[in-house]
Amino acid sequence: MQRRTFLTSAASLAALGLVPGSALADAATYQRFHAAWKRDPTLAVYADTVGRQSGAARILGSIPQDLNGVFFRNGPGRFELGGERHHHWFDGDGFAQRWQIAGGKVSHIGKFVETERFGEENAAGQFLYPSFGTWVGRRGVKTNDTMNAANTNLLPFNGRVYALWEGGSATEVDPATLATVGIKTWNEDMKSMPFSAHPKIDPDGGMWNFGAFSGGDRLALYRIGADGQVLKTAMVKVPQLAMVHDFVVSAQHLIFLVPPYDVLPAEGKSFAEQHHWAGSGAAARPMRVVVVSKASMEVRQVFELPPHMVFHFGNAFDDGATTRFDVVLHEGDALHDVGLVMQGERQKNTPTRGFAAQVTLDYASGRATMARLFGASEFPRVMPQVVSARHRQLALLSSSARNADIVLDTVNLVGTDTGKADSYRFDAGWQVEEHVLVPRANARSETDGYLVGVAQDTKRGQTVMTVFDAARVKAGPLALARLPYRAPHCFHGNFLAS
């Protein structure tokens, strides 16, 4: 895999934010956010969190008797230290959360993932290391895992649970207590390698994942068996590789979208700041679709689409001589825009800011075409039993037209064949997190189950777990499990049935 070559190359280290430099003070970001928070109390969702949380939820409605298990969630929880504040939402230290559902009752615990970075910065009382969107260089970086925030996803796999961050290793946590176990090394070749926070689990229980070397023009590919053993790895060349956060798998392919950014390594610049949007103007570059064969783990074909930024995919399936997949696309430099909330600025809720689409790749003609599925949205998910196979339902979050700024307040289940949406909008003052589809035992369809997620009631300062009947989302939640406190806003998670 030429691991050592890429981990020690100047381009790779710079793209990961590992080149030594001086600290960039962000006390001004701290001051701007707190001033904005006084004007807009709903920004509390992005406020700092201190310490461990635990409590029982008060149930409104009724938790279905056949919904039992653990809903694992993860997201950034600490943004401030020593009077400074991170510049980007993706920078905060990971705060793992565990929602236990049993016998109609719900309990919650939350705990910071005790990474190397978290421990050393705690002891120092200030930020020491670079983050995704904030440059800090007070202390030298040894490996990618020195700056590992473990803040993006919480994945149950093979009896263990992993906090994931895309720039370095998975971090194992205890499934019951969330206590940090330590860095997971799948094998020596993968030690400290980038490991995406969006692995895909096949119907057989095995895992596909990747690591992106933005600025180093390489994708590392990983195939891990259901027993946790590494079955195959590869490194493929992708010229002008920028940030790739997620991917999608079909029965035969791994599919990546490469947005049009120029990655320009520079001392004293964070990973995000090294990305320069190249999708506008007369010289705008297209977005590329890179298709890798699962069988050979080599690039099969590259397609082009109009320039967009992309974070998340839905699902993919092979359809004769074509492959089709769902993706949420954003107009312009969304990588920069999504970080503005750290200084108290929200993005405007314009109808042209993006959309969800189904893309069809025709291998014979070399053409990629897009069909619009839904308007501006995010956090697409499908039922786990249809991953890499034909699917017809896609869960999405959106911001209703009543909002001048982007506030995700609506849960949608969209038919990918019909475009019809079954939707529920929460009341003003609510902000919704990613919702996942949970099948009933022996489910007969993609709506035979539940849509489970988390929402922030900003008026009460409380976090609420939500449960919908996947066949009747419009009817509203079957149950709301309300905590007596606010837990950090999470990015991603997964449900593990008991």
Side-chain angles (χ1 to χ4, degrees):
M1 288 180 56
Q2 300 173 288
R3 168 183 167 272
R4 188 169 291 107
T5 299
F6 291 105
L7 284 183
T8 58
S9 72
S12 174
L13 293 176
L16 289 169
L18 303 180
V19 176
S22 59
L24 175 65
D26 57 357
T29 305
Y30 178 99
Q31 293 164 2
R32 282 195 295 271
F33 175 79
H34 283 268
W37 185 9
K38 288 182 180 179
R39 297 190 301 270
D40 180 4
T42 67
L43 287 170
V45 169
Y46 307 103
D48 212 35
T49 301
V50 178
R52 186 179 186 276
Q53 296 179 328
S54 64
R58 180 171 61 87
I59 309 299
L60 178 65
S62 179
I63 301 289
Q65 289 301 307
D66 61 346
L67 183 64
N68 293 283
V70 180
F71 190 24
F72 291 105
R73 304 281 294 150
N74 194 8
R78 180 170 73 177
F79 302 107
E80 300 171 359
L81 194 61
E84 297 178 345
R85 182 173 173 86
H86 284 309
H87 296 171
H88 202 286
W89 190 21
F90 298 172
D91 292 346
D93 292 287
F95 191 86
Q97 299 185 43
R98 183 185 191 277
W99 296 81
Q100 175 76 57
I101 308 170
K105 297 181 179 180
V106 176
S107 61
H108 170 270
I109 60 172
K111 192 177 189 300
F112 279 104
V113 185
E114 295 179 0
T115 61
E116 177 181 351
R117 171 182 113 157
F118 183 76
E120 291 190 19
E121 292 182 341
N122 265 352
Q126 63 179 178
F127 294 129
L128 302 174
Y129 297 113
S131 298
F132 174 86
T134 308
W135 176 259
V136 178
R138 293 187 172 106
R139 188 169 294 178
V141 172
K142 298 182 288 293
T143 72
N144 296 359
D145 287 329
T146 304
M147 55 181 285
N148 193 331
N151 68 359
T152 311
N153 201 351
L154 207 58
L155 176 76
F157 178 71
N158 187 33
R160 300 174 185 269
V161 174
Y162 300 102
L164 302 180
W165 177 74
E166 63 197 44
S169 304
T171 303
E172 185 177 352
V173 300
D174 185 275
T177 67
L178 299 181
T180 301
V181 176
I183 290 293
K184 170 65 176 179
T185 300
W186 304 95
N187 66 19
E188 283 302 309
D189 280 345
M190 292 171 62
K191 189 174 183 179
S192 296
M193 289 278 281
F195 191 81
S196 159
H198 286 285
K200 307 303 178 190
I201 307 300
D202 271 352
D204 65 3
M207 178 197 300
W208 290 93
N209 206 3
F210 74 97
F213 290 86
S214 306
D217 294 344
R218 295 291 190 278
L219 279 173
L221 308 176
Y222 315 124
R223 174 59 174 154
I224 300 174
D227 60 357
Q229 298 300 306
V230 177
L231 302 177
K232 192 174 183 180
T233 61
M235 191 81 76
V236 298
K237 184 175 182 179
V238 180
Q240 293 182 304
L241 182 66
M243 175 183 167
V244 177
H245 175 69
D246 192 5
F247 74 134
V248 72
V249 301
S250 68
Q252 300 178 52
H253 302 103
L254 314 176
I255 299 169
F256 304 86
L257 287 186
V258 182
Y261 283 93
D262 291 319
V263 182
L264 305 177
E267 185 172 325
K269 296 289 186 181
S270 69
F271 175 79
E273 291 168 329
Q274 293 172 28
H275 278 64
H276 299 266
W277 179 247
S280 302
R285 293 204 309 270
M287 179 172 61
R288 285 170 291 151
V289 186
V290 178
V291 181
V292 174
S293 164
K294 280 184 173 180
S296 66
M297 292 184 88
E298 295 178 351
V299 175
R300 173 183 175 178
Q301 203 161 336
V302 178
F303 298 82
E304 291 186 350
L305 287 169
H308 289 91
M309 177 54 191
V310 56
F311 292 107
H312 301 118
F313 293 82
N315 188 43
F317 61 94
D318 299 312
D319 185 13
T322 67
T323 299
R324 294 160 61 185
F325 65 89
D326 317 308
V327 64
V328 173
L329 300 174
H330 299 271
E331 300 290 347
D333 187 8
L335 181 61
H336 168 266
D337 294 344
V338 76
L340 294 176
V341 72
M342 282 296 98
Q343 54 189 0
E345 296 181 22
R346 292 188 184 272
Q347 301 174 63
K348 295 303 178 185
N349 188 27
T350 59
T352 59
R353 63 186 173 86
F355 57 96
Q358 188 165 94
V359 177
T360 300
L361 307 177
D362 187 319
Y363 296 105
S365 69
R367 293 183 64 243
T369 56
M370 291 192 302
R372 185 185 178 95
L373 283 178
F374 194 73
S377 50
E378 250 305 343
F379 299 105
R381 295 291 295 253
V382 298
M383 278 288 189
Q385 71 269 25
V386 298
V387 171
S388 76
R390 182 72 164 91
H391 69 287
R392 292 178 171 82
Q393 298 291 333
L394 184 69
L396 290 163
L397 303 183
S398 60
S399 181
S400 59
R402 71 182 175 193
N403 301 318
D405 300 323
I406 297 174
V407 177
L408 297 177
D409 61 0
T410 305
V411 180
N412 312 277
L413 194 59
V414 180
T416 57
D417 292 342
T418 66
K420 183 178 179 181
D422 183 13
S423 306
Y424 178 81
R425 186 183 73 179
F426 283 83
D427 292 336
W430 286 68
Q431 184 162 325
V432 186
E433 300 179 18
E434 175 194 60
H435 277 53
V436 306
L437 287 158
V438 179
R440 292 188 178 93
N442 303 312
R444 297 182 178 181
S445 74
E446 292 172 58
T447 57
D448 188 5
Y450 304 102
L451 188 59
V452 180
V454 172
Q456 302 284 349
D457 181 349
T458 63
K459 290 184 176 180
R460 296 190 182 185
Q462 294 176 329
T463 298
V464 184
M465 192 191 78
T466 66
V467 180
F468 293 84
D469 183 337
R472 288 175 287 277
V473 175
K474 185 178 180 180
L478 298 173
L480 297 174
R482 183 182 288 273
L483 296 177
Y485 49 81
R486 180 190 71 83
H489 191 297
C490 288
F491 288 146
H492 301 291
N494 297 277
F495 189 88
L496 180 64
S498 58

